[in-house]
Amino acid sequence: MTIDWNAFTPYASLAGGLLIGMAAAMLVLLNGRIAGISGILGGLLRPAKGDIAWRLAFVFGLMASPLLYARFALLPSPRIDASWGALVLAGLLVGVGTRYGSGCTSGHGVCGLSRLSARSLAATVTFMAAGFATVFVIRHAWGG
């Protein structure tokens, strides 16, 4: 993946961050739930009675947001320099990691850190360190 710094849009990024923060705050204030995407999706796989509608609404909002954004502005086109096999393996490893870490980057990094959770700080530091190490090994040790 390559970032095109010439097309960097700080205002759109700021607006996106504000929307993520507002969505997380609204979910905890109105529903008493933490906005962790892995937990929300996991709850859809093993649904509990009365616990499905808000999860579906949240996922629908995640999927509909880029379509709504595209109505007003051009969507960026990311360039991904990885094979499908590498992407599938990476996705599986992230999924396993979020289950062992009891949450993902959104749950720990956005919501947990804003609540000053020590567990979320440890999880986020671990996520970041694992990401840095993975990129270093793939780019420099394997020459990818």
Side-chain angles (χ1 to χ4, degrees):
M1 180 173 151
T2 304
I3 297 174
D4 181 4
W5 291 105
N6 294 325
F8 179 60
T9 55
Y11 297 116
S13 302
L14 177 63
L18 288 173
L19 287 173
I20 290 171
M22 282 180 18
M26 287 175 58
L27 189 62
V28 76
L29 292 173
L30 300 176
N31 203 12
R33 299 290 185 150
I34 303 297
I37 305 307
S38 62
I40 291 171
L41 288 175
L44 285 174
L45 297 176
R46 287 179 284 160
K49 188 174 182 175
D51 199 36
I52 297 174
W54 72 269
R55 292 176 190 272
L56 287 175
F58 199 93
V59 172
F60 175 77
L62 286 175
M63 296 172 68
S65 297
L67 301 175
L68 182 63
Y69 182 86
R71 303 271 304 167
F72 301 104
L74 208 59
L75 282 174
S77 55
R79 193 179 108 209
I80 300 172
D81 298 328
S83 67
W84 278 103
L87 292 175
V88 168
L89 178 63
L92 289 172
L93 289 173
V94 168
V96 169
T98 59
R99 298 315 293 175
Y100 279 118
S102 299
C104 59
T105 52
S106 60
H108 284 297
V110 175
C111 298
L113 290 180
S114 67
R115 295 181 305 127
L116 304 176
S117 165
R119 187 178 78 136
S120 291
L121 176 62
T124 303
V125 168
T126 303
F127 296 154
M128 297 300 290
F132 294 148
T134 302
V135 168
F136 180 80
V137 167
I138 289 176
R139 294 269 167 104
H140 301 289
W142 287 349

